[in-house]
């Protein structure tokens, strides 16, 4: 949280100024209330009404400052939220393919939503209350010294006592928050997994399974939430009791001093107001300090970019061949394939065939640099992938997944992805992938809005848009993983023919449904079953 505050130090400075001025006026109002009572005791009517008017002006000022401060504090919080989300997202985008896929999307969503909400409510808002309370406490203690040193001394003693309370509960609250964060992630993950198979369970008349899994996760989340609230309540109740005791002691002392003529009667009113200001702040402070310490786990989420040895970008350009040497891969000690050694020459076309589940898609992901082989190596023009920045690999190689996705936005947005292309390039590419038959049709298609999760577009259209998106980047090598499987055979043959006729493009295609019309266009057909 310290780094977050430093990042927003200028806005925090303005907020602190507003808090300080507001609390100063609160204390001034309390002091004026003593003067008002003293004027009444002395039967000075004019002074009484004068003090009353001044007090009214002071409290109106407090209200205005509070209004501005509350709005500005929310502005500061939202700016900090943006910084946190930017930092988390930046770390996510620096993960490699395997690291990112270690967790579900639901878990990352929980980090960006639930955890930041907890940081807001338990951390930042609590911090602002504590800071404001410190201002109010310091000003009030100084004001109490104005009346009698013993009032300030007693207040100081009770202040130390109340502030020390959160330390007794902070570790337990921290653990409770960690458990809550974990269960939030689990609940989001279970819910996402359960609802993602709705269609399958609907067909099998097993939708009750969704209810069971979500309710089980909900019950676990409910249990940890109750435990977290219990730990927070321990802090708040202890702070409340000390708050009440402190105010009673201070009022008693001021009454004793007044009876002995050491302070004026009006001081009792001021002490009551000031002690409320001090110890209400401190009572809350006990709760909020505990809550601030409790959000520590949310700042320690496991996004480890240190594992990535990020090499400098060398702007490599594929010139000769892509070499796979003695590569093997598997899961849980079971090899999918072993000792794969193939040379892929520049501008040649390759078809990889073999039985389903034999590791062909995984092999393409190794070539694409998404995952590393268990043994063996991959070289681009003689340079080991281990010595190449991933960006250089992706600049040269485009991997077309059979399960490509589009996001909400226009077709143009989905093609460009923040890159700049001439209108003519986009139009030509839509015609190239058989999504439009002429320029006018392509122009209209560019401005069509795709709905969330591509609900208004077919699987075949998605595959063609994904191909168009990749080809716009002008890769040297294209890896096609069943990339035309959802397209009707006639159109698929047209598109594959165009790809295979590209003179300056190396094509490596995995297919279970390759077509006789294009088979003779491949320079080599590789039977991957030989490596199983």
């Amino acid at each position: 949280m310290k780094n977050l505050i430093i990042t927003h130090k200028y806005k925090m400075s303005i907020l602190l100024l507003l808090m300080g001025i507001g609390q100063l006026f609160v204390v001034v109002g309390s002091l004026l209330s003593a003067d008002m009572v003293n004027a009444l005791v002395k039967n000075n009517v004019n002074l009484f009404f004068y003090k009353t008017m001044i007090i009214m002006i002071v409290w109106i000022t407090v209200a205005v400052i509070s209004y501005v401060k509350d709005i500005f504090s929310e502005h500061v919080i939202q700016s900090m939220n943006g910084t946190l989300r930017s930092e988390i997202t930046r770390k996510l985008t620096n993960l490699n393919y395997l690291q990112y896929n270690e967790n579900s999307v639901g878990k990352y969503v929980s980090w960006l939503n639930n955890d930041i909400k907890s940081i807001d409510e338990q951390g930042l808002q609590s911090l602002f209350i504590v800071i404001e309370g410190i201002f109010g406490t310091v000003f009030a203690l100084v004001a109490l010294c104005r009346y009698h040193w013993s009032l300030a001394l007693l207040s100081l003693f009770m202040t130390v006592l109340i502030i020390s309370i959160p330390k007794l509960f902070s570790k337990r609250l921290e653990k409770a928050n960690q458990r809550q964060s974990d269960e939030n992630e689990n609940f989001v993950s279970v819910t996402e997994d359960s609802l993602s198979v709705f269609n399958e369970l609907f067909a099998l008349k097993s939708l009750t399974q969704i209810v069971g899994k979500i309710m089980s996760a909900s019950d676990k989340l409910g249990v940890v939430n109750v435990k977290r609230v219990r730990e927070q309540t321990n802090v708040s109740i202890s702070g409340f009791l000390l708050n009440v005791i402190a105010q009673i002691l201070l009022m008693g002392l001021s009454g004793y001093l007044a009876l002995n003529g050491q302070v004026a009667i009006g001081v009792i009113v001021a002490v009551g107001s000031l002690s409320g200001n001090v110890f209400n702040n401190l009572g809350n402070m006990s709760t909020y300090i505990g809550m601030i310490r409790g959000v520590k786990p949310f700042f320690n989420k496991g996004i480890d970019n240190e594992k990535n040895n990020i090499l400098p970008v060398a702007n490599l350009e594929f010139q000769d061949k892509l070499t796979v040497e003695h590569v093997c891969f598997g899961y849980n000690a079971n090899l999918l394939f072993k000792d794969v050694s193939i040379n892929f020459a520049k501008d040649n076309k390759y078809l990889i065939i073999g039985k389903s589940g034999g590791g062909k898609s995984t092999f393409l992901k190794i070539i694409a640099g998404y995952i590393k082989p268990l043994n063996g190596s991959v070289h681009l023009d003689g340079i080991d992938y281990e010595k190449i920045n991933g960006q250089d690999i992706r600049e040269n190689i485009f991997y077309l997944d059979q399960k490509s996705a589009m996001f909400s936005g226009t077709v143009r947005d989905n093609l460009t992805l923040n890159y700049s292309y001439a209108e003519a390039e986009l139009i030509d590419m839509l015609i190239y992938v058989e999504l439009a038959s002429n320029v006018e049709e392509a122009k209209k298609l560019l401005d069509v809005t795709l709905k969330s999760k591509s609900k208004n577009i077919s699987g075949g259209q998605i595959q063609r848009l994904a191909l168009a998106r990749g080809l716009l980047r002008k890769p040297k090598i294209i890896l096609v993983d069943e990339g035309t499987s959802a397209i009707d055979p006639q159109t698929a043959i047209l598109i594959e023919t165009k790809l295979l006729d590209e003179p300056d493009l190396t094509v490596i295609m995995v297919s279970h449904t390759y077509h006789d019309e294009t088979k003779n266009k491949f320079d080599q057909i590789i039977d991957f079953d030989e490596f199983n």
Side-chain angles (χ1 to χ4, degrees):
M1 191 179 291
K2 179 182 177 182
N3 292 335
L4 195 61
I5 292 170
I6 292 173
T7 302
H8 296 269
K9 56 181 178 292
Y10 297 115
K11 290 180 180 178
M12 280 298 298
S13 298
I14 296 172
L15 184 58
L16 291 176
L17 182 62
L18 289 170
M19 289 177 177
I21 294 172
Q23 288 301 304
L24 182 60
F25 272 87
V26 169
V27 171
V28 169
S30 299
L31 294 176
L32 288 172
S33 66
D35 295 342
M36 183 182 71
V37 172
N38 287 331
L40 189 61
V41 170
K42 294 176 181 178
N43 202 27
N44 189 335
V45 177
N46 290 334
L47 183 59
F48 173 78
F49 282 112
Y50 173 73
K51 293 292 184 179
T52 302
M53 290 299 297
I54 296 298
I55 289 173
M56 187 177 295
I57 292 171
V58 167
W59 284 106
I60 289 173
T61 304
V62 170
V64 172
I65 293 172
S66 295
Y67 176 81
V68 175
K69 181 261 300 179
D70 288 347
I71 293 175
F72 188 73
S73 65
E74 184 60 29
H75 173 70
V76 174
I77 286 174
Q78 292 307 317
S79 294
M80 290 181 171
N81 282 352
T83 299
L84 286 171
R85 288 194 174 102
S86 175
E87 182 67 14
I88 293 171
T89 306
R90 184 190 62 77
K91 287 185 176 182
L92 288 177
T93 56
N94 284 334
L95 294 176
N96 61 41
Y97 180 85
L98 283 180
Q99 287 173 329
Y100 178 82
N101 286 285
E102 284 177 359
N103 298 312
S104 68
V105 172
K107 187 170 185 176
Y108 297 136
V109 170
S110 181
W111 290 358
L112 290 164
N113 185 48
N114 296 334
D115 286 2
I116 288 181
K117 184 179 178 181
S118 295
I119 289 171
D120 276 0
E121 296 175 353
Q122 298 178 47
L124 296 176
Q125 291 179 25
S126 298
L127 175 65
F128 295 163
I129 291 171
V130 168
I131 293 172
E132 193 168 28
I134 291 172
F135 276 121
T137 299
V138 171
F139 293 152
L141 288 173
V142 172
L144 287 171
C145 285
R146 176 173 177 259
Y147 295 123
H148 199 273
W149 63 268
S150 62
L151 295 172
L153 186 62
L154 177 59
S155 298
L156 189 60
F157 172 75
M158 294 304 299
T159 296
V160 173
L161 188 63
I162 292 174
I163 290 177
S164 300
I165 288 298
K167 294 180 181 179
L168 302 176
F169 301 97
S170 60
K171 288 295 182 183
R172 290 166 59 181
L173 183 57
E174 191 175 311
K175 290 179 181 178
N177 277 331
Q178 180 64 64
R179 287 193 293 268
Q180 183 204 30
S181 175
D182 293 342
E183 282 303 329
N184 267 328
E185 292 170 5
N186 180 63
F187 178 76
V188 171
S189 179
V190 169
T191 302
E192 185 182 56
D193 289 345
S194 299
L195 295 178
S196 67
V197 293
F198 179 94
N199 293 342
E200 288 77 5
L201 295 177
F202 180 82
L204 297 169
K205 297 183 291 182
S206 299
L207 290 176
T208 53
Q209 183 172 335
I210 294 178
V211 178
K213 287 191 173 183
I214 291 178
M215 289 311 300
S216 175
S218 177
D219 290 342
K220 291 178 181 178
L221 181 59
V223 170
V224 297
N225 277 331
V226 170
K227 289 181 179 178
R228 178 185 58 82
V229 170
R230 183 173 64 196
E231 296 302 335
Q232 287 181 350
T233 304
N234 288 336
V235 176
S236 61
I237 290 298
S238 57
F240 169 76
L241 290 175
L242 285 171
N243 174 11
V244 171
I245 293 169
Q247 290 192 52
I248 292 173
L249 289 174
L250 205 57
M251 285 291 290
L253 179 58
S254 64
Y256 173 79
L257 294 172
L259 288 173
N260 284 278
Q262 293 178 269
V263 295
I265 292 296
V267 170
I268 297 176
V269 176
V271 168
S273 178
L274 290 170
S275 65
N277 194 37
V278 172
F279 296 115
N280 285 335
N281 283 332
L282 289 175
N284 290 333
M285 211 177 292
S286 300
T287 301
Y288 294 123
I289 289 175
M291 292 171 70
I292 291 168
R293 289 172 174 163
V295 300
K296 183 180 177 182
F298 300 123
F299 286 95
N300 296 330
K301 282 305 171 76
I303 305 178
D304 187 4
N305 293 137
E306 299 301 322
K307 295 178 182 178
N308 290 339
N309 182 20
I310 300 177
L311 300 164
V313 177
N315 297 315
L316 298 177
E317 186 171 336
F318 181 49
Q319 298 290 341
D320 183 23
K321 62 183 178 180
L322 175 70
T323 307
V324 178
E325 297 181 349
H326 306 294
V327 162
C328 66
F329 191 86
Y331 300 99
N332 300 323
N334 295 317
L335 290 180
L336 273 175
F337 51 82
K338 58 186 177 181
D339 201 27
V340 181
S341 294
I342 305 173
N343 287 329
F344 297 101
K346 186 176 185 296
D347 301 333
N348 281 10
K349 318 301 188 231
Y350 300 87
L351 175 64
I352 300 176
I353 61 174
K355 64 175 183 285
S356 179
K360 299 184 297 299
S361 296
T362 302
F363 179 65
L364 288 192
K365 288 178 180 177
I366 290 174
I367 295 175
Y370 285 15
I371 58 179
K372 295 181 179 181
L374 294 181
N375 288 303
S377 59
V378 184
H379 297 79
L380 188 69
D381 288 336
I383 305 174
D384 195 316
Y385 269 25
E386 293 289 336
K387 298 179 180 179
I388 304 176
N389 183 288
Q391 183 174 320
D392 278 317
I393 296 174
R394 291 187 290 276
E395 281 290 332
N396 287 278
I397 301 175
F398 169 59
Y399 172 59
L400 179 62
D401 196 322
Q402 60 179 306
K403 295 181 180 179
S404 299
M406 301 290 130
F407 61 86
S408 296
T410 64
V411 169
R412 185 192 308 275
D413 295 335
N414 274 276
L415 289 177
T416 59
L417 299 181
N418 295 329
Y419 285 81
S420 295
Y421 296 99
E423 185 86 354
E425 284 185 275
L426 300 176
I427 290 170
D428 289 345
M429 191 54 67
L430 289 177
I431 295 173
Y432 183 94
V433 297
E434 301 292 331
L435 277 171
S437 57
N438 55 59
V439 172
E440 288 304 315
E441 193 176 322
K443 284 183 177 180
K444 290 180 181 178
L445 180 58
L446 282 172
D447 294 320
V448 170
T449 299
L450 303 181
K451 295 180 180 179
S452 176
K453 296 189 178 179
S454 312
K455 291 180 180 178
N456 61 335
I457 185 172
S458 70
Q461 288 172 315
I462 290 174
Q463 285 189 331
R464 281 178 278 176
L465 277 176
L467 175 61
R469 187 163 59 191
L471 291 176
L472 279 168
R473 275 99 183 134
K474 296 180 172 55
K476 303 297 181 182
I477 303 171
I478 183 170
L479 311 177
V480 185
D481 186 5
E482 298 287 353
T484 59
S485 59
I487 305 172
D488 66 274
Q490 185 176 355
T491 305
I493 291 169
L494 285 174
I495 294 172
E496 288 176 12
T497 299
K498 291 177 182 179
L499 284 176
L500 296 171
D501 285 342
E502 289 286 346
D504 300 320
L505 181 65
T506 304
V507 178
I508 304 174
M509 182 183 296
V510 164
S511 179
H512 294 107
T513 56
Y514 60 88
H515 307 96
D516 291 335
E517 291 86 345
T518 59
K519 188 176 180 181
N520 62 348
K521 292 182 176 292
F522 290 98
D523 294 290
Q524 184 178 351
I525 297 176
I526 301 166
D527 186 352
F528 210 71
D529 290 344
E530 296 176 7
F531 307 109
N532 297 138

